[in-house]
Amino acid sequence: MILRLYLTLICALAVISATKAQIVPDDTVAGRLTVSLLTCAPGDMVYELEGHTGLRLCRDGQDVTVHWGVFDFNAPNFIYRFVKGETDYSVGVVPTRYFIEEYRRSGRKVTEQVLDLTDSQAAEIVRLIQENLRPENRVYRYNYVLDNCATRPLSIIEAAIGDTLSMPDTDIGLSKRPTFRSIMNRYHANYPWYQFGIDIALGSGIDYPVTVRQTAFAPVILQRLMDGATVTGGNGQRHIVSRTETLVEGDDSGMVSGPTPWWLSPMTAGILVLLLSIGVTLRDISRRKVSRWFDVVVYTVYGLMGCVVAFLVFVSVHEATSPNIQLLWLNPLCLIVPVAVWSRYGRRVVFGYQCVNMVSVMLFLILWSCGVQSMTSAVLPFVMADAVRSLNYIFIGRGK
């Protein structure tokens, strides 16, 4: 699930990477430089749910937007390295009219926040961007919550003004102690399968309370925080945003798809798997015989998903993938069942595995109930289905 979502993100960003970079305005061009933060409302694709951010630089005929979403799809082993966490992205520059037109066609609102900067601060932003555009500096290690298209512009603005912006703890529509996961849950509410994949793939590293500044990893939140952000200068404290304009009309919530019908949700799928597991188990107990065909299907799916989780925990360098208690019930050992269940000696191995698996599932439920890691409740029926089948093997095989 999460792999497919990652690949979807890659393909979508390929359109951006193909755009030819433009020259950034510098002191050789007459006129005063205006620097703005552009925020694009969420779209209906999974990689658009928190919006997008760019820095607009405008001076006498030169008008470009800088963004941090460019990558080289043709780089060696790109897909493998992307999933592994070696996500190398780079900065790119496009004419602002092209940047805006892309969102106008899709009906997504674009908001411009013109920054109140001195000439020297605006010139410093240009210098920092030009330095960033140098071949040896263009590439950076992308991180979904710590280093992305929203955090990069914010860091450049703060570096140019020589201070950290003061962002008031205003109501941004989140709980008082939000976590990265709770923020994702808010913006992924209509995409439960996407959030389900995130909750399976990402561990407790996204469950700690975050600061107001850390919530700015989401472009739409960064926009709201910038409305009240202040900086201290020679004349005292001033708002960093001098004025706000709407470049493309649209709804603040963007073009997000409507809620997923309940019958297509992961919770419904989990309940169906659990009910089917209970029904097959009752039949097995009455016959004193295990339905191997059923477990081949279930544990093959669990095992393949477990391989992905294990890869993310032990191989990937993504910071948020480890530790992950999902590995207690969703791991490559699940593949023991579809392989070993067909032979007499193999069934003994499966019995031993299911005894260990039952203990592991119980430990998972205890850790989850203690708040060690947060996740969608849709995981529970799938875990309980695993527990039911484990008990079935233990009950039927104990005498054998």
Side-chain angles (χ1 to χ4, degrees):
M1 173 64 69
I2 196 68
L3 176 59
R4 187 180 68 179
L5 297 174
Y6 278 159
L7 296 181
T8 303
L9 173 60
I10 292 171
C11 294
L13 289 177
V15 176
I16 300 177
S17 67
T19 306
K20 183 179 179 180
Q22 302 295 309
I23 299 175
V24 176
D26 55 28
D27 291 336
T28 62
V29 181
R32 191 173 190 276
L33 175 66
T34 300
V35 181
S36 307
L37 189 74
L38 299 185
T39 303
C40 311
D44 61 349
M45 303 298 290
V46 294
Y47 51 84
E48 302 171 333
L49 297 180
E50 285 92 13
H52 187 50
T53 299
L55 271 181
R56 182 181 187 181
L57 308 176
C58 186
R59 173 187 279 168
D60 281 3
Q62 286 191 323
D63 187 357
V64 298
T65 295
V66 186
H67 63 97
W68 283 260
V70 180
F71 67 93
D72 183 7
F73 188 78
N74 295 318
N77 303 314
F78 179 82
I79 295 178
Y80 170 79
R81 296 180 64 224
F82 188 93
V83 177
K84 186 181 177 183
E86 297 174 351
T87 48
D88 292 336
Y89 281 66
S90 62
V91 58
V93 188
V94 295
T96 299
R97 64 182 183 276
Y98 295 157
F99 185 88
I100 293 175
E101 184 59 28
E102 176 67 24
Y103 295 95
R104 189 190 309 277
R105 288 200 304 266
S106 60
R108 294 165 61 185
K109 183 177 181 179
V110 178
T111 303
E112 178 182 29
Q113 294 170 299
V114 181
L115 303 182
D116 184 9
L117 303 172
T118 65
D119 290 342
S120 61
Q121 289 171 343
E124 180 64 9
I125 284 183
V126 171
R127 189 194 70 79
L128 291 171
I129 291 176
Q130 288 175 332
E131 183 69 18
N132 199 174
L133 285 169
R134 292 174 63 88
E136 64 271 22
N137 299 329
R138 293 177 65 93
V139 177
Y140 73 99
R141 185 56 53 86
Y142 176 88
N143 184 296
Y144 181 68
V145 295
L146 299 178
D147 197 356
N148 62 18
C149 72
T151 62
R152 284 262 159 171
L154 177 58
S155 297
I156 285 182
I157 293 171
E158 291 181 328
I161 64 177
D163 196 4
T164 300
L165 291 175
S166 175
M167 295 180 173
D169 190 6
T170 56
D171 179 21
I172 55 176
L174 300 169
S175 62
K176 292 299 181 181
R177 300 286 288 174
T179 65
F180 286 126
R181 197 186 302 270
S182 68
I183 296 173
M184 294 177 192
N185 280 329
R186 172 193 169 96
Y187 291 101
H188 304 165
N190 291 356
Y191 296 71
W193 279 107
Y194 180 44
Q195 188 59 44
F196 181 82
I198 288 177
D199 286 342
I200 291 292
L202 302 185
S204 57
I206 59 172
D207 288 325
Y208 61 87
V210 296
T211 64
V212 173
R213 179 185 168 80
Q214 286 176 314
T215 65
F217 82 93
V220 289
I221 295 181
L222 173 60
Q223 176 194 342
R224 297 175 68 173
L225 291 175
M226 290 293 285
D227 283 335
T230 58
V231 60
T232 302
N235 298 324
Q237 197 174 59
R238 73 180 191 277
H239 285 281
I240 191 63
V241 175
S242 62
R243 71 178 188 275
T244 300
E245 299 181 5
T246 300
L247 303 182
V248 177
E249 295 290 343
D251 196 296
D252 288 333
S253 60
M255 301 299 291
V256 176
S257 299
T260 298
W262 65 267
W263 62 87
L264 296 178
S265 68
M267 175 60 79
T268 299
I271 291 174
L272 290 175
V273 172
L274 175 57
L275 292 177
L276 189 58
S277 298
I278 292 174
V280 173
T281 297
L282 292 176
R283 180 172 178 270
D284 287 353
I285 292 175
S286 66
R287 298 187 309 144
R288 305 286 296 181
K289 186 177 181 180
V290 174
S291 297
R292 294 178 290 181
W293 62 268
F294 180 78
D295 292 320
V296 166
V297 174
V298 171
Y299 283 99
T300 296
V301 174
Y302 281 18
L304 293 177
M305 292 178 63
C307 289
V308 175
V309 175
F311 178 88
L312 292 172
V313 170
F314 296 114
V315 180
S316 174
V317 295
H318 283 293
E319 296 180 5
T321 58
S322 182
N324 188 351
I325 65 173
Q326 300 281 4
L327 200 60
L328 288 171
W329 73 279
L330 206 60
N331 55 70
L333 295 179
C334 295
L335 294 175
I336 290 176
V337 177
V339 173
V341 74
W342 299 105
S343 67
R344 181 179 299 274
Y345 175 77
R347 286 195 289 270
R348 297 179 182 178
V349 175
V350 173
F351 175 79
Y353 160 76
Q354 291 292 15
C355 290
V356 175
N357 184 48
M358 190 64 211
V359 174
S360 184
V361 167
M362 295 303 298
L363 178 59
F364 168 83
L365 294 173
I366 292 172
L367 293 176
W368 185 9
S369 63
C370 292
V372 172
Q373 183 174 320
S374 178
M375 65 196 74
T376 173
S377 57
V379 171
L380 182 59
F382 290 102
V383 177
M384 297 308 298
D386 186 12
V388 167
R389 294 310 292 168
S390 289
L391 289 174
N392 180 60
Y393 275 93
I394 294 171
F395 179 80
I396 294 177
R398 73 190 189 285
K400 301 180 181 180

Short mmCIF file of all heavy atoms in Angstrom, two decimals, residues 16-75:
data_model
loop_
_atom_site.label_atom_id
_atom_site.label_comp_id
_atom_site.label_asym_id
_atom_site.label_seq_id
_atom_site.Cartn_x
_atom_site.Cartn_y
_atom_site.Cartn_z
N ILE A 16 6.78 18.21 -12.63
CA ILE A 16 7.47 19.40 -12.15
C ILE A 16 8.93 19.36 -12.55
O ILE A 16 9.53 20.36 -12.92
CB ILE A 16 7.33 19.51 -10.62
CG1 ILE A 16 5.85 19.60 -10.24
CG2 ILE A 16 8.08 20.71 -10.08
CD1 ILE A 16 5.61 19.63 -8.75
N SER A 17 9.54 18.18 -12.44
CA SER A 17 10.98 18.07 -12.68
C SER A 17 11.35 18.37 -14.12
O SER A 17 12.51 18.69 -14.42
CB SER A 17 11.46 16.67 -12.32
OG SER A 17 10.92 15.73 -13.20
N ALA A 18 10.39 18.30 -15.04
CA ALA A 18 10.70 18.51 -16.45
C ALA A 18 10.75 19.99 -16.83
O ALA A 18 11.15 20.34 -17.92
CB ALA A 18 9.65 17.81 -17.31
N THR A 19 10.35 20.88 -15.90
CA THR A 19 10.29 22.30 -16.20
C THR A 19 11.68 22.91 -16.23
O THR A 19 12.46 22.69 -15.32
CB THR A 19 9.42 23.03 -15.16
OG1 THR A 19 8.16 22.37 -15.09
CG2 THR A 19 9.22 24.48 -15.55
N LYS A 20 11.96 23.68 -17.23
CA LYS A 20 13.29 24.29 -17.35
C LYS A 20 13.46 25.40 -16.34
O LYS A 20 12.61 26.26 -16.17
CB LYS A 20 13.46 24.85 -18.76
CG LYS A 20 14.84 25.44 -19.00
CD LYS A 20 14.95 25.96 -20.42
CE LYS A 20 16.32 26.58 -20.67
NZ LYS A 20 16.44 27.09 -22.04
N ALA A 21 14.59 25.41 -15.61
CA ALA A 21 14.87 26.43 -14.61
C ALA A 21 15.06 27.79 -15.28
O ALA A 21 15.61 27.92 -16.36
CB ALA A 21 16.12 26.04 -13.82
N GLN A 22 14.60 28.86 -14.60
CA GLN A 22 14.74 30.21 -15.08
C GLN A 22 15.76 30.96 -14.22
O GLN A 22 16.13 30.53 -13.14
CB GLN A 22 13.38 30.93 -15.01
CG GLN A 22 12.29 30.22 -15.81
CD GLN A 22 12.57 30.21 -17.27
OE1 GLN A 22 12.85 31.25 -17.85
NE2 GLN A 22 12.50 29.05 -17.89
N ILE A 23 16.19 32.11 -14.72
CA ILE A 23 17.17 32.92 -14.01
C ILE A 23 16.51 33.63 -12.85
O ILE A 23 15.44 34.25 -12.99
CB ILE A 23 17.81 33.94 -14.97
CG1 ILE A 23 18.53 33.22 -16.11
CG2 ILE A 23 18.78 34.84 -14.22
CD1 ILE A 23 19.09 34.13 -17.16
N VAL A 24 17.14 33.59 -11.68
CA VAL A 24 16.62 34.27 -10.49
C VAL A 24 17.01 35.74 -10.57
O VAL A 24 18.16 36.07 -10.87
CB VAL A 24 17.20 33.64 -9.21
CG1 VAL A 24 16.75 34.40 -7.99
CG2 VAL A 24 16.77 32.18 -9.12
N PRO A 25 16.07 36.68 -10.31
CA PRO A 25 16.41 38.10 -10.35
C PRO A 25 17.55 38.43 -9.40
O PRO A 25 17.60 37.93 -8.28
CB PRO A 25 15.10 38.78 -9.91
CG PRO A 25 14.03 37.78 -10.20
CD PRO A 25 14.66 36.45 -10.00
N ASP A 26 18.45 39.30 -9.84
CA ASP A 26 19.55 39.71 -8.97
C ASP A 26 19.74 41.22 -9.08
O ASP A 26 18.93 41.94 -9.67
CB ASP A 26 20.84 38.96 -9.31
CG ASP A 26 21.23 39.11 -10.77
OD1 ASP A 26 20.87 40.15 -11.36
OD2 ASP A 26 21.88 38.19 -11.32
N ASP A 27 20.83 41.73 -8.52
CA ASP A 27 21.05 43.17 -8.46
C ASP A 27 21.34 43.79 -9.82
O ASP A 27 21.37 45.01 -9.95
CB ASP A 27 22.22 43.47 -7.51
CG ASP A 27 21.83 43.17 -6.06
OD1 ASP A 27 20.64 43.18 -5.77
OD2 ASP A 27 22.75 42.92 -5.25
N THR A 28 21.57 42.97 -10.84
CA THR A 28 21.82 43.52 -12.17
C THR A 28 20.54 44.01 -12.83
O THR A 28 20.58 44.69 -13.84
CB THR A 28 22.48 42.47 -13.07
OG1 THR A 28 21.59 41.36 -13.24
CG2 THR A 28 23.79 41.97 -12.45
N VAL A 29 19.39 43.64 -12.24
CA VAL A 29 18.09 44.06 -12.77
C VAL A 29 17.58 45.23 -11.93
O VAL A 29 17.61 45.18 -10.70
CB VAL A 29 17.07 42.90 -12.73
CG1 VAL A 29 15.73 43.35 -13.30
CG2 VAL A 29 17.62 41.72 -13.51
N ALA A 30 17.13 46.29 -12.60
CA ALA A 30 16.66 47.47 -11.88
C ALA A 30 15.34 47.19 -11.19
O ALA A 30 14.61 46.26 -11.51
CB ALA A 30 16.52 48.64 -12.85
N GLY A 31 15.00 48.06 -10.22
CA GLY A 31 13.73 47.95 -9.52
C GLY A 31 13.85 47.24 -8.20
O GLY A 31 14.85 46.60 -7.90
N ARG A 32 12.80 47.38 -7.40
CA ARG A 32 12.79 46.78 -6.07
C ARG A 32 12.31 45.33 -6.15
O ARG A 32 11.35 45.01 -6.84
CB ARG A 32 11.88 47.58 -5.13
CG ARG A 32 12.02 47.18 -3.67
CD ARG A 32 11.22 48.12 -2.77
NE ARG A 32 11.53 47.87 -1.37
CZ ARG A 32 10.96 46.92 -0.63
NH1 ARG A 32 10.04 46.14 -1.18
NH2 ARG A 32 11.29 46.76 0.63
N LEU A 33 12.99 44.48 -5.44
CA LEU A 33 12.65 43.06 -5.43
C LEU A 33 11.54 42.77 -4.43
O LEU A 33 11.60 43.21 -3.28
CB LEU A 33 13.89 42.23 -5.09
CG LEU A 33 13.68 40.73 -4.93
CD1 LEU A 33 13.30 40.10 -6.27
CD2 LEU A 33 14.94 40.07 -4.37
N THR A 34 10.53 42.06 -4.89
CA THR A 34 9.43 41.65 -4.02
C THR A 34 9.51 40.14 -3.82
O THR A 34 9.62 39.38 -4.78
CB THR A 34 8.06 42.00 -4.62
OG1 THR A 34 7.99 43.41 -4.81
CG2 THR A 34 6.94 41.56 -3.69
N VAL A 35 9.46 39.72 -2.56
CA VAL A 35 9.51 38.30 -2.22
C VAL A 35 8.18 37.91 -1.59
O VAL A 35 7.70 38.58 -0.67
CB VAL A 35 10.66 37.99 -1.26
CG1 VAL A 35 10.70 36.49 -0.94
CG2 VAL A 35 11.99 38.44 -1.83
N SER A 36 7.57 36.84 -2.10
CA SER A 36 6.27 36.39 -1.59
C SER A 36 6.29 34.89 -1.35
O SER A 36 7.04 34.14 -2.00
CB SER A 36 5.15 36.71 -2.59
OG SER A 36 5.15 38.08 -2.94
N LEU A 37 5.46 34.48 -0.42
CA LEU A 37 5.25 33.05 -0.19
C LEU A 37 3.95 32.66 -0.88
O LEU A 37 2.89 33.24 -0.61
CB LEU A 37 5.16 32.77 1.32
CG LEU A 37 5.15 31.29 1.72
CD1 LEU A 37 6.56 30.71 1.56
CD2 LEU A 37 4.68 31.13 3.16
N LEU A 38 4.04 31.70 -1.80
CA LEU A 38 2.85 31.21 -2.50
C LEU A 38 2.41 29.89 -1.88
O LEU A 38 3.23 28.98 -1.68
CB LEU A 38 3.15 31.00 -3.99
CG LEU A 38 3.59 32.22 -4.81
CD1 LEU A 38 3.70 31.85 -6.27
CD2 LEU A 38 2.62 33.38 -4.62
N THR A 39 1.13 29.79 -1.58
CA THR A 39 0.57 28.56 -1.02
C THR A 39 -0.57 28.09 -1.90
O THR A 39 -1.50 28.85 -2.19
CB THR A 39 0.05 28.78 0.41
OG1 THR A 39 1.11 29.28 1.23
CG2 THR A 39 -0.45 27.46 0.99
N CYS A 40 -0.48 26.85 -2.34
CA CYS A 40 -1.50 26.26 -3.19
C CYS A 40 -2.38 25.34 -2.35
O CYS A 40 -1.87 24.54 -1.56
CB CYS A 40 -0.86 25.46 -4.33
SG CYS A 40 0.43 26.40 -5.20
N ALA A 41 -3.68 25.47 -2.52
CA ALA A 41 -4.63 24.67 -1.75
C ALA A 41 -4.49 23.19 -2.08
O ALA A 41 -3.96 22.82 -3.14
CB ALA A 41 -6.05 25.14 -2.03
N PRO A 42 -4.96 22.32 -1.20
CA PRO A 42 -4.86 20.88 -1.43
C PRO A 42 -5.55 20.44 -2.71
O PRO A 42 -6.52 21.05 -3.16
CB PRO A 42 -5.55 20.28 -0.20
CG PRO A 42 -5.41 21.32 0.86
CD PRO A 42 -5.51 22.63 0.14
N GLY A 43 -5.03 19.37 -3.29
CA GLY A 43 -5.64 18.77 -4.47
C GLY A 43 -6.25 17.43 -4.12
O GLY A 43 -6.29 17.03 -2.95
N ASP A 44 -6.71 16.70 -5.13
CA ASP A 44 -7.40 15.44 -4.86
C ASP A 44 -6.48 14.23 -4.89
O ASP A 44 -6.92 13.12 -4.59
CB ASP A 44 -8.56 15.24 -5.84
CG ASP A 44 -8.07 15.17 -7.29
OD1 ASP A 44 -6.89 15.48 -7.55
OD2 ASP A 44 -8.87 14.80 -8.16
N MET A 45 -5.21 14.42 -5.25
CA MET A 45 -4.27 13.31 -5.23
C MET A 45 -3.61 13.22 -3.85
O MET A 45 -3.53 14.22 -3.13
CB MET A 45 -3.21 13.49 -6.32
CG MET A 45 -3.78 13.62 -7.72
SD MET A 45 -4.70 12.15 -8.23
CE MET A 45 -3.35 10.98 -8.43
N VAL A 46 -3.12 12.02 -3.51
CA VAL A 46 -2.61 11.82 -2.15
C VAL A 46 -1.40 12.69 -1.86
O VAL A 46 -1.15 13.06 -0.71
CB VAL A 46 -2.26 10.34 -1.91
CG1 VAL A 46 -3.52 9.49 -1.95
CG2 VAL A 46 -1.24 9.82 -2.93
N TYR A 47 -0.62 13.03 -2.89
CA TYR A 47 0.56 13.85 -2.65
C TYR A 47 0.24 15.34 -2.63
O TYR A 47 1.13 16.18 -2.46
CB TYR A 47 1.62 13.58 -3.74
CG TYR A 47 1.09 13.67 -5.15
CD1 TYR A 47 0.99 14.89 -5.80
CD2 TYR A 47 0.67 12.53 -5.81
CE1 TYR A 47 0.49 14.98 -7.08
CE2 TYR A 47 0.18 12.60 -7.10
CZ TYR A 47 0.08 13.83 -7.74
OH TYR A 47 -0.41 13.91 -9.01
N GLU A 48 -1.04 15.69 -2.77
CA GLU A 48 -1.46 17.09 -2.78
C GLU A 48 -2.30 17.47 -1.56
O GLU A 48 -2.78 18.59 -1.48
CB GLU A 48 -2.28 17.39 -4.04
CG GLU A 48 -1.56 17.11 -5.34
CD GLU A 48 -2.49 17.21 -6.55
OE1 GLU A 48 -3.72 16.98 -6.39
OE2 GLU A 48 -2.00 17.51 -7.65
N LEU A 49 -2.47 16.57 -0.62
CA LEU A 49 -3.46 16.76 0.44
C LEU A 49 -3.08 17.85 1.45
O LEU A 49 -3.95 18.34 2.17
CB LEU A 49 -3.70 15.44 1.18
CG LEU A 49 -4.29 14.32 0.31
CD1 LEU A 49 -4.49 13.06 1.13
CD2 LEU A 49 -5.61 14.77 -0.30
N GLU A 50 -1.80 18.20 1.55
CA GLU A 50 -1.40 19.30 2.43
C GLU A 50 -1.05 20.57 1.65
O GLU A 50 -0.57 21.53 2.23
CB GLU A 50 -0.19 18.89 3.28
CG GLU A 50 -0.52 17.94 4.42
CD GLU A 50 -0.38 16.49 3.99
OE1 GLU A 50 0.21 16.24 2.91
OE2 GLU A 50 -0.85 15.61 4.72
N GLY A 51 -1.29 20.57 0.35
CA GLY A 51 -0.99 21.73 -0.46
C GLY A 51 0.45 21.75 -0.94
O GLY A 51 1.17 20.76 -0.88
N HIS A 52 0.87 22.90 -1.42
CA HIS A 52 2.23 23.06 -1.95
C HIS A 52 2.68 24.49 -1.70
O HIS A 52 1.86 25.41 -1.59
CB HIS A 52 2.26 22.74 -3.45
CG HIS A 52 3.63 22.72 -4.03
ND1 HIS A 52 4.67 22.01 -3.47
CD2 HIS A 52 4.16 23.35 -5.14
CE1 HIS A 52 5.76 22.18 -4.20
NE2 HIS A 52 5.48 22.99 -5.21
N THR A 53 4.00 24.69 -1.61
CA THR A 53 4.57 26.00 -1.28
C THR A 53 5.67 26.36 -2.28
O THR A 53 6.41 25.50 -2.75
CB THR A 53 5.17 25.98 0.14
OG1 THR A 53 4.14 25.70 1.08
CG2 THR A 53 5.79 27.33 0.48
N GLY A 54 5.76 27.66 -2.56
CA GLY A 54 6.85 28.17 -3.38
C GLY A 54 7.21 29.58 -2.94
O GLY A 54 6.43 30.26 -2.28
N LEU A 55 8.40 30.03 -3.30
CA LEU A 55 8.84 31.41 -3.04
C LEU A 55 8.82 32.17 -4.36
O LEU A 55 9.49 31.78 -5.32
CB LEU A 55 10.24 31.43 -2.44
CG LEU A 55 10.37 31.36 -0.92
CD1 LEU A 55 11.84 31.41 -0.52
CD2 LEU A 55 9.60 32.48 -0.24
N ARG A 56 8.07 33.26 -4.40
CA ARG A 56 7.97 34.08 -5.61
C ARG A 56 8.96 35.24 -5.51
O ARG A 56 8.98 35.98 -4.52
CB ARG A 56 6.56 34.60 -5.78
CG ARG A 56 6.36 35.43 -7.05
CD ARG A 56 4.94 35.95 -7.16
NE ARG A 56 4.70 36.61 -8.43
CZ ARG A 56 3.54 37.18 -8.78
NH1 ARG A 56 2.52 37.16 -7.91
NH2 ARG A 56 3.40 37.76 -9.96
N LEU A 57 9.75 35.44 -6.56
CA LEU A 57 10.70 36.54 -6.66
C LEU A 57 10.33 37.38 -7.87
O LEU A 57 10.28 36.88 -9.00
CB LEU A 57 12.13 36.02 -6.80
CG LEU A 57 12.58 34.97 -5.76
CD1 LEU A 57 13.98 34.47 -6.10
CD2 LEU A 57 12.55 35.55 -4.36
N CYS A 58 10.04 38.65 -7.64
CA CYS A 58 9.54 39.50 -8.72
C CYS A 58 10.29 40.82 -8.73
O CYS A 58 10.38 41.51 -7.71
CB CYS A 58 8.04 39.74 -8.54
SG CYS A 58 7.27 40.63 -9.89
N ARG A 59 10.80 41.18 -9.93
CA ARG A 59 11.49 42.46 -10.08
C ARG A 59 11.49 42.85 -11.55
O ARG A 59 12.13 42.22 -12.38
CB ARG A 59 12.92 42.38 -9.56
CG ARG A 59 13.74 43.64 -9.86
CD ARG A 59 15.19 43.47 -9.49
NE ARG A 59 15.40 43.68 -8.08
CZ ARG A 59 16.54 43.36 -7.45
NH1 ARG A 59 17.51 42.78 -8.12
NH2 ARG A 59 16.68 43.59 -6.17
N ASP A 60 10.75 43.91 -11.89
CA ASP A 60 10.77 44.53 -13.22
C ASP A 60 10.89 43.55 -14.38
O ASP A 60 11.93 43.44 -15.03
CB ASP A 60 11.92 45.55 -13.32
CG ASP A 60 11.56 46.87 -12.65
OD1 ASP A 60 10.46 46.95 -12.08
OD2 ASP A 60 12.38 47.79 -12.70
N GLY A 61 9.82 42.83 -14.63
CA GLY A 61 9.79 41.94 -15.78
C GLY A 61 10.25 40.53 -15.50
O GLY A 61 9.93 39.62 -16.27
N GLN A 62 11.00 40.34 -14.45
CA GLN A 62 11.41 38.99 -14.06
C GLN A 62 10.52 38.53 -12.91
O GLN A 62 10.46 39.19 -11.87
CB GLN A 62 12.87 38.96 -13.64
CG GLN A 62 13.85 39.07 -14.80
CD GLN A 62 15.27 38.78 -14.38
OE1 GLN A 62 15.69 39.15 -13.30
NE2 GLN A 62 16.01 38.11 -15.24
N ASP A 63 9.84 37.44 -13.12
CA ASP A 63 8.89 36.94 -12.13
C ASP A 63 8.96 35.42 -12.13
O ASP A 63 8.44 34.76 -13.03
CB ASP A 63 7.48 37.42 -12.48
CG ASP A 63 6.46 37.10 -11.40
OD1 ASP A 63 6.83 36.45 -10.40
OD2 ASP A 63 5.28 37.48 -11.57
N VAL A 64 9.63 34.86 -11.14
CA VAL A 64 9.82 33.41 -11.08
C VAL A 64 9.40 32.90 -9.71
O VAL A 64 9.32 33.65 -8.73
CB VAL A 64 11.29 33.02 -11.34
CG1 VAL A 64 11.73 33.44 -12.73
CG2 VAL A 64 12.22 33.62 -10.28
N THR A 65 9.12 31.61 -9.65
CA THR A 65 8.79 30.94 -8.40
C THR A 65 9.75 29.79 -8.18
O THR A 65 9.98 28.97 -9.07
CB THR A 65 7.34 30.41 -8.42
OG1 THR A 65 6.44 31.52 -8.50
CG2 THR A 65 7.04 29.61 -7.16
N VAL A 66 10.33 29.76 -7.00
CA VAL A 66 11.29 28.73 -6.62
C VAL A 66 10.57 27.69 -5.76
O VAL A 66 9.81 28.05 -4.85
CB VAL A 66 12.47 29.34 -5.83
CG1 VAL A 66 13.54 28.30 -5.56
CG2 VAL A 66 13.04 30.54 -6.57
N HIS A 67 10.79 26.43 -6.03
CA HIS A 67 10.16 25.37 -5.24
C HIS A 67 11.15 24.23 -5.06
O HIS A 67 12.15 24.13 -5.77
CB HIS A 67 8.88 24.87 -5.91
CG HIS A 67 9.12 24.24 -7.25
ND1 HIS A 67 9.23 22.88 -7.43
CD2 HIS A 67 9.30 24.80 -8.48
CE1 HIS A 67 9.45 22.62 -8.71
NE2 HIS A 67 9.50 23.76 -9.36
N TRP A 68 10.85 23.38 -4.08
CA TRP A 68 11.79 22.33 -3.71
C TRP A 68 11.16 20.96 -3.93
O TRP A 68 11.06 20.14 -3.02
CB TRP A 68 12.23 22.51 -2.25
CG TRP A 68 13.24 23.59 -2.09
CD1 TRP A 68 14.59 23.44 -1.96
CD2 TRP A 68 13.01 25.00 -2.06
NE1 TRP A 68 15.21 24.66 -1.85
CE2 TRP A 68 14.25 25.65 -1.92
CE3 TRP A 68 11.86 25.80 -2.16
CZ2 TRP A 68 14.39 27.03 -1.85
CZ3 TRP A 68 11.99 27.17 -2.09
CH2 TRP A 68 13.25 27.78 -1.94
N GLY A 69 10.74 20.67 -5.17
CA GLY A 69 10.10 19.39 -5.47
C GLY A 69 10.62 18.73 -6.71
O GLY A 69 9.92 17.95 -7.35
N VAL A 70 11.88 19.01 -7.10
CA VAL A 70 12.44 18.47 -8.33
C VAL A 70 13.29 17.24 -8.01
O VAL A 70 13.98 17.20 -7.00
CB VAL A 70 13.31 19.53 -9.03
CG1 VAL A 70 13.92 18.97 -10.32
CG2 VAL A 70 12.49 20.78 -9.33
N PHE A 71 13.22 16.23 -8.86
CA PHE A 71 14.03 15.04 -8.69
C PHE A 71 14.41 14.48 -10.05
O PHE A 71 13.81 14.83 -11.07
CB PHE A 71 13.29 13.97 -7.88
CG PHE A 71 12.10 13.41 -8.61
CD1 PHE A 71 12.22 12.26 -9.38
CD2 PHE A 71 10.87 14.02 -8.54
CE1 PHE A 71 11.13 11.74 -10.07
CE2 PHE A 71 9.77 13.51 -9.22
CZ PHE A 71 9.91 12.37 -9.98
N ASP A 72 15.40 13.62 -10.05
CA ASP A 72 15.87 12.98 -11.28
C ASP A 72 15.35 11.56 -11.32
O ASP A 72 15.92 10.66 -10.71
CB ASP A 72 17.40 13.00 -11.34
CG ASP A 72 17.93 12.40 -12.65
OD1 ASP A 72 17.10 12.11 -13.54
OD2 ASP A 72 19.15 12.22 -12.76
N PHE A 73 14.26 11.34 -12.06
CA PHE A 73 13.65 10.02 -12.12
C PHE A 73 14.56 9.01 -12.80
O PHE A 73 14.45 7.81 -12.57
CB PHE A 73 12.32 10.10 -12.87
CG PHE A 73 11.52 8.83 -12.84
CD1 PHE A 73 10.80 8.47 -11.72
CD2 PHE A 73 11.49 7.98 -13.94
CE1 PHE A 73 10.07 7.29 -11.69
CE2 PHE A 73 10.77 6.81 -13.92
CZ PHE A 73 10.05 6.47 -12.79
N ASN A 74 15.49 9.50 -13.62
CA ASN A 74 16.39 8.61 -14.35
C ASN A 74 17.65 8.26 -13.57
O ASN A 74 18.53 7.56 -14.10
CB ASN A 74 16.79 9.25 -15.69
CG ASN A 74 15.60 9.41 -16.62
OD1 ASN A 74 14.77 8.52 -16.74
ND2 ASN A 74 15.53 10.56 -17.28
N ALA A 75 17.74 8.73 -12.34
CA ALA A 75 18.91 8.40 -11.53
C ALA A 75 18.96 6.90 -11.28
O ALA A 75 17.92 6.23 -11.18
CB ALA A 75 18.86 9.15 -10.20
#
